[in-house]
Amino acid sequence: MKTCIITIVLLLAFNLHAEEGGTDYKCYLKTSMGHEIGFYRWYEKQYVQEMAKLIASKMQTATGDVYIKDVLECTPLAQDFSRPEAILLDKKTVR
């Protein structure tokens, strides 16, 4: 019985720790000044909602503030985009 309770507590603690930091994403965005790559940290469970909230929000770039018109693609930071133009821009983008 004690072993079962300890196992449950450890699993809950591990699950909370895994959700603590979220996942890093990069998004290929259409903005008021052209295409940009944006970097975000979201919980996997809220990925779709967070991506939807980006549209019409303000984003700070090296040249100033721009508005996000559309989210064309988001992917985990370690993965490549599927669009060739996003891959090229991602290679030029400073992290």
Side-chain angles (χ1 to χ4, degrees):
M1 183 68 165
K2 282 185 178 181
T3 306
C4 184
I5 292 173
I6 291 172
T7 303
I8 290 171
V9 169
L10 288 174
L11 285 172
L12 288 173
F14 176 76
N15 196 19
L16 288 175
H17 178 69
E19 285 288 320
E20 189 176 283
T23 302
D24 290 324
Y25 291 92
K26 58 185 176 184
C27 295
Y28 181 53
L29 309 166
K30 181 179 179 183
T31 71
S32 55
M33 297 296 283
H35 291 92
E36 301 280 344
I37 303 289
F39 298 96
Y40 305 93
R41 180 179 292 249
W42 300 319
Y43 295 111
E44 279 188 53
K45 293 177 183 177
Q46 298 172 338
Y47 167 78
V48 174
Q49 294 89 344
E50 294 293 338
M51 197 169 72
K53 285 196 285 187
L54 289 176
I55 297 173
S57 65
K58 195 183 326 185
M59 174 182 168
Q60 187 174 14
T61 67
T63 58
D65 291 341
V66 297
Y67 288 92
I68 298 172
K69 292 182 173 183
D70 197 8
V71 179
L72 302 172
E73 182 179 356
C74 288
T75 184
L77 189 61
Q79 293 182 6
D80 287 333
F81 289 108
S82 63
R83 298 169 180 251
E85 60 275 12
I87 293 169
L88 288 174
L89 183 58
D90 187 30
K91 288 180 181 181
K92 296 178 187 176
T93 302
V94 179
R95 306 242 184 299

